[in-house]
Structure formats: structure tokens, C-alpha cells
Amino acid sequence: MIDLHDKNSCPSLEEISEYIRNPVFMQFCSEIKNTYGCSEIIEYSSCSWESGWNVKFKKSGKTLCTVYPRECYFTVMIVIGTKQKALVEEILPKCTAELQSIYAHTKEGNGQKWLMVDLEDKGQLYNDILRLIQIRRNS
């Protein structure tokens, strides 16, 4: 088993998947890679808020999302900036109550909201996340 806080040992995507033990993680990664033609970047963050290994997906220098591994699920962080805010707020009423609540309770700083969304299955919340990533990519 990998140690997500051992910065001297970079895990592979497969090792991260084994740690999470949820097939939705690899499905999510494949969907992002195939849709946007990008590959994952596994990075170690020393941030006191969320230290450890994470998986970033970037396209044209822009981070689409960052994935934080958990046991049995994973957390997707999507930054909603000033360019995306109006578009996100336009689709928000059609999103899950859970995503609406996360959005409403996430404080804004410097014109950005850093949404942290836990994913366990490929339900509607999963689809909402993909829509937010698409907005981020296109703006």
C-alpha cells in the first residue's frame, strides 16, 4: 500500500487507484484524458490544507481539475474563476442539490471559488463535475 504523504516515493496512477479501491476513479481519469487529450500529472503538494500526492489534469497550461485520493472515494477540486462564474451559475439550477450546496457554501477569494467535491459513483454529481470541467476548459 502506498503512503500518500511520502514525498520521496511518487506513486503511479495504478497505485493511486489501488489505494482508492473504487473503479470510478480510473473511469473518471480516462474520461478526462480522452475528452481533453491530456494526461495526468502526479504531484506532491506540501500545502498544509491538503498535503500529499494528488493527480492534476491540465490542458494548454490550465488546470482543469485536481484529484485527491481517499479510501473508497476521491475528491475533485475545480477552481471556478471570474471567467467561469456566470456560466456555472447559469447551469447550477439544473445541477444536483449537493453541488448547489457545495457552491453556495464555498467562500469566494480573489474572484475564485475552489470547489471540493467528493465522488463515489457515476451518478448525477459525477456528470455535474464533468460539466464544470467543460466550462473551465472552454473559458
Side-chain angles (χ1 to χ4, degrees):
M1 185 64 73
I2 63 170
D3 178 359
L4 293 176
H5 298 287
D6 179 2
K7 65 180 172 181
N8 297 313
S9 180
C10 179
S12 67
L13 193 63
E14 291 73 22
E15 289 173 317
I16 292 172
S17 180
E18 288 171 18
Y19 174 84
I20 295 172
R21 296 185 323 272
N22 185 328
V24 174
F25 170 72
M26 287 303 271
Q27 293 168 7
F28 180 83
C29 292
S30 292
E31 193 149 0
I32 298 301
K33 292 194 290 190
N34 293 334
T35 301
Y36 300 105
C38 60
S39 57
E40 73 278 355
I41 301 166
I42 299 172
E43 292 184 344
Y44 187 84
S45 172
S46 297
C47 173
S48 60
W49 179 55
E50 190 70 51
S51 67
W53 291 101
N54 61 55
V55 182
K56 281 191 166 83
F57 291 96
K58 293 183 179 183
K59 183 68 178 178
S60 303
K62 181 189 291 186
T63 300
L64 301 176
C65 66
T66 304
V67 179
Y68 297 93
R70 314 286 192 217
E71 290 189 48
C72 301
Y73 70 101
F74 54 100
T75 300
V76 180
M77 180 182 74
I78 302 173
V79 178
I80 305 301
T82 52
K83 289 180 182 178
Q84 298 92 28
K85 186 176 179 182
L87 294 169
V88 169
E89 290 179 356
E90 188 178 307
I91 68 156
L92 209 53
K94 299 174 189 135
C95 294
T96 59
E98 185 175 358
L99 185 66
Q100 291 178 36
S101 177
I102 291 167
Y103 189 86
H105 291 97
T106 299
K107 290 184 179 161
E108 193 170 314
N110 296 326
Q112 299 179 323
K113 285 186 176 242
W114 294 45
L115 305 181
M116 300 291 282
V117 183
D118 296 336
L119 286 180
E120 294 180 61
D121 57 46
K122 278 188 81 169
Q124 189 56 44
L125 186 58
Y126 179 98
N127 294 327
D128 289 348
I129 292 303
L130 294 178
R131 290 171 73 190
L132 294 182
I133 292 170
Q134 184 176 25
I135 288 171
R136 180 147 177 84
R137 171 64 182 110
N138 293 339
S139 61

